[in-house]
Amino acid sequence: DAKTTQPPSMDCAEGRAANLPCNHSTISGNEYVYWYRQIHSQGPQYIIHGLKNNETNEMASLIITEDRKSSTLILPHATLRDTAVYYCIVNNQGGKLIFGQGTELSVKP
Amino acid sequence: DSGVTQTPKHLITATGQRVTLRCSPRSGDLSVYWYQQSLDQGLQFLIQYYNGEERAKGNILERFSAQQFPDLHSELNLSSLELGDSALYFCASAREQTNTEAFFGQGTRLTVV
């Protein structure tokens, strides 16, 4: 699986957009980009995934660069409940998800 | 609620003992994954089953074993427990074997004393 690099922590003001970057420069053509988050000791929660096109759902948007070497998860209007660790994962091997250290997002009032 | 049920929620046991953690996947999901999360290690992939067969293995100790039953529920057996096995153990399920979203249970918190 391709390795990912994420900043260890970020802050965001409540109501503003949170933009979480992920670098995956060694991603191969058939690997997807997945985002999960974990709110303090709860089970991780799936957010979104994509291959090469930008994706949007009710939770977030995923922007993947044209060369697919990086991506950004966008939470359009962050709330205090979005405070969590966000994991960017690239994967093509039998669905097995390997979690890195993630980005700890703190949404502040 | 993810639809994945893990029991028990909390477990306290002594070193050297054996415990069994249980996971019921979402209805219709054929894949089950087990993860261990301790304070200093993050989320570690242990093992994956698909429709009763082992599909992938991660950093699972020989003292640990798992299986998936015909009704698709799964059990993770931990034996000869050590203090370092204290952790949160998560189960996740997914519809297919490959490239799909996984739904996680709320975990079992194991404390070895």
Side-chain angles (χ1 to χ4, degrees):
Chain A
D1 295 325
K3 290 192 173 181
T4 61
T5 304
Q6 298 179 252
S9 63
M10 291 181 65
D11 290 341
C12 178
E14 189 178 19
R16 304 298 293 268
N19 297 283
L20 292 97
C22 180
N23 183 288
H24 33 79
S25 58
T26 59
I27 192 170
S28 58
N30 59 350
E31 287 184 315
Y32 288 75
V33 180
Y34 285 82
W35 283 84
Y36 281 76
R37 72 180 182 184
Q38 185 176 26
I39 297 171
H40 186 60
S41 295
Q42 295 181 22
Q45 177 189 23
Y46 165 83
I47 301 173
I48 199 167
H49 76 282
L51 184 62
K52 50 185 169 183
N53 297 320
N54 297 338
E55 302 286 344
T56 295
N57 63 20
E58 66 279 2
M59 287 184 69
S61 294
L62 173 60
I63 309 297
I64 303 174
T65 58
E66 195 167 337
D67 63 7
R68 303 210 324 123
K69 293 185 177 182
S70 65
S71 60
T72 301
L73 178 75
I74 301 172
L75 308 179
H77 305 287
T79 71
L80 299 179
R81 286 192 300 271
D82 293 321
T83 292
V85 178
Y86 287 76
Y87 297 97
C88 168
I89 303 165
V90 294
N91 163 267
N92 76 335
Q93 292 184 0
K96 153 177 95 169
L97 296 166
I98 304 298
F99 288 79
Q101 296 305 306
T103 295
E104 188 167 0
L105 176 69
S106 295
V107 180
K108 299 183 184 300
Chain B
D1 181 9
S2 67
V4 178
T5 303
Q6 290 188 247
T7 56
K9 286 188 171 49
H10 301 277
L11 195 51
I12 302 175
T13 190
T15 54
Q17 295 298 305
R18 172 189 167 95
V19 298
T20 297
L21 312 184
R22 183 186 168 102
C23 171
S24 295
R26 288 189 321 155
S27 176
D29 284 1
L30 300 177
S31 249
V32 168
Y33 308 80
W34 286 98
Y35 288 83
Q36 178 193 55
Q37 187 173 37
S38 50
L39 278 175
D40 56 349
Q41 292 290 327
L43 274 160
Q44 298 290 314
F45 169 72
L46 295 178
I47 198 164
Q48 178 199 2
Y49 281 83
Y50 178 75
N51 204 20
E53 300 287 330
E54 182 184 305
R55 276 292 180 256
K57 225 170 186 176
N59 301 320
I60 188 165
L61 299 173
E62 284 192 14
R63 300 183 285 109
F64 297 181
S65 65
Q67 54 183 328
Q68 186 180 27
F69 294 87
D71 67 352
L72 300 177
H73 90 272
S74 179
E75 293 180 356
L76 179 66
N77 300 296
L78 316 175
S79 61
S80 303
L81 285 166
E82 302 174 359
L83 296 178
D85 298 327
S86 295
L88 269 169
Y89 291 84
F90 289 105
C91 165
S93 74
R95 192 77 57 185
E96 302 291 338
Q97 184 180 351
T98 61
N99 283 339
T100 186
E101 58 189 271
F103 293 84
F104 282 76
Q106 289 306 300
T108 293
R109 183 175 292 280
L110 173 66
T111 303
V112 182
V113 298

